[in-house]
């Protein structure tokens, strides 16, 4: 993940808090052997007016209560523990904590849990929280770009909604279904073609892995200096080595789930490289305008060009143009004669584009 979302956007998490409180109340009353709290008294007072007309929620809470009333106290405790643990998003992402999955809970509880939390997720849009959450994220972003790929623009609030991904998938972690800490706007390609229902916390063989906490501040840069000029397709494009800085186990998970390196190379670097060279040549001829520059002048221009591009930040897939010119500068100043010759020919007034 190239950068994190602002934590402040998760502040309006009251529906999640209400769900935890109501489920906990059901468990507490069953364990104490006292009558179940009635509707709407079971709704936390601060939000009783917001939810009392939601009969769908009432029905699903009842179904949940009936299901867990048939379990043993030990089984109910297992579910209550799971409710708490599945919502410790930061600990789960960092591997400081763990939790069981829905499939590991008593089978009789599966459908009632799923129905209850699927429904509560649908309420987020109806009560306006989903749109306000997105507005807060959008206004807090420097560039309105999907941070999982850097290549998909986000539309402004008011446009048809962007995908809202359950970062910990609700099929396995249903208790986090309505927790804004687990809900992340995501570009359609990232969500529907790559992440799908992948378990961000576990690899295919079930091994626990670290993942970026989507609401912590971080920045990951793409570095290309390890690429080899002229060694890629058609002998003109580099053979790319795509590195993340800082690299981390979180980057490994990110790449495995979202196929970041594969997509960067196939969809951006390979098809854009020749055009980017051509545009650099045009920029040089206008801005530098030295008809027959030497290698030092061209190298200095490449660095200036890359630094100017860096100032633009994440501007969709074009953000990869800066590391490309840093890579070219690196190899030119390291004495790659063939590359120096190519770049001089490219920018000289006589050079072919
Ligand atoms: Zn994306």
């Amino acid at each position: 993940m190239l950068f994190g979302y602002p934590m402040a956007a998760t502040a309006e998490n009251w529906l999640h808090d209400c769900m935890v409180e109501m489920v906990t109340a059901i468990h507490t009353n069953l364990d104490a052997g006292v009558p179940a709290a009635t509707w709407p008294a079971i709704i936390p007072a601060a939000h009783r007016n917001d939810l009392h007309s939601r009969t769908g929620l009432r029905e699903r809470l009842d179904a949940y209560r009936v299901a867990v009333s048939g379990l043993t106290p030990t089984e109910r405790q297992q579910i209550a523990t799971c409710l708490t643990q599945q919502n410790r998003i930061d600990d789960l992402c960092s591997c400081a904590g763990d939790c069981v999955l829905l499939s590991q809970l008593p089978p009789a509880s599966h459908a009632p849990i799923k129905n209850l939390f699927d429904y509560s997720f649908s309420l987020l849009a109806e009560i306006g929280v989903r749109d306000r959450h997105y507005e807060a994220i959008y206004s807090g972003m420097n560039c309105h770009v999907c941070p999982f790929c850097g290549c998909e623009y986000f539309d402004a609030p008011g446009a048809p909604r962007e995908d809202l991904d359950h970062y910990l998938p609700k099929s396995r972690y249903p208790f986090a279904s309505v927790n804004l800490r687990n809900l992340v706007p995501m570009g359609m390609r990232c969500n529907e073609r790559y992440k799908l229902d992948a378990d961000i916390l576990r690899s295919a063989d079930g091994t626990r892995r670290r993942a970026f906490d989507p609401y912590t501040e971080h920045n990951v840069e793409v570095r290309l200096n390890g690429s080899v000029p002229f060694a890629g397709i058609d002998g003109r494009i580099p053979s790319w080595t795509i590195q993340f800085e800082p690299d981390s186990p979180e980057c490994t998970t990110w790449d495995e789930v979202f196929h970041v390196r594969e997509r960067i190379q196939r969809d951006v670097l390979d098809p854009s490289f020749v055009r980017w060279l051509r545009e650099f040549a045009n920029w040089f001829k206008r801005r530098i305008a030295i008809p027959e520059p030497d290698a030092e002048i061209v190298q200095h221009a490449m660095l200036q060009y890359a630094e100017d591009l860096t100032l633009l930040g994440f501007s969709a897939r074009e953000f990869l143009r800066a590391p490309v010119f840093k890579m070219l500068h690196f190899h030119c100043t390291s004495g790659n004669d063939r590359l120096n010759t190519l770049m001089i020919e490219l920018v000289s007034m006589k050079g072919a584009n």
Side-chain angles (χ1 to χ4, degrees), residues 69-85:
S69 68
L71 303 177
T72 66
T74 304
E75 288 173 323
R76 278 201 296 274
Q77 184 56 50
Q78 187 191 9
I79 294 173
T81 301
C82 181
L83 168 68
T84 301
Q85 291 179 335

Side-chain angles (χ1 to χ4, degrees), residues 146-152 154 186-191 258 263:
C146 170
F148 297 94
C149 64
C151 297
E152 298 182 85
F154 281 160
M186 188 178 287
M188 182 272 290
R189 286 191 184 86
C190 280
N191 193 29
F258 292 94
R263 293 165 69 192

Side-chain angles (χ1 to χ4, degrees), residues 40-71:
I42 192 172
I43 305 170
H47 294 287
R48 203 163 288 156
N49 286 341
D50 299 311
L51 295 176
H52 80 277
S53 64
R54 304 290 176 177
T55 54
L57 183 59
R58 175 184 185 170
E59 290 163 9
R60 287 163 179 81
L61 275 171
D62 277 345
Y64 176 82
R65 181 180 51 75
V66 169
V68 295
S69 68
L71 303 177

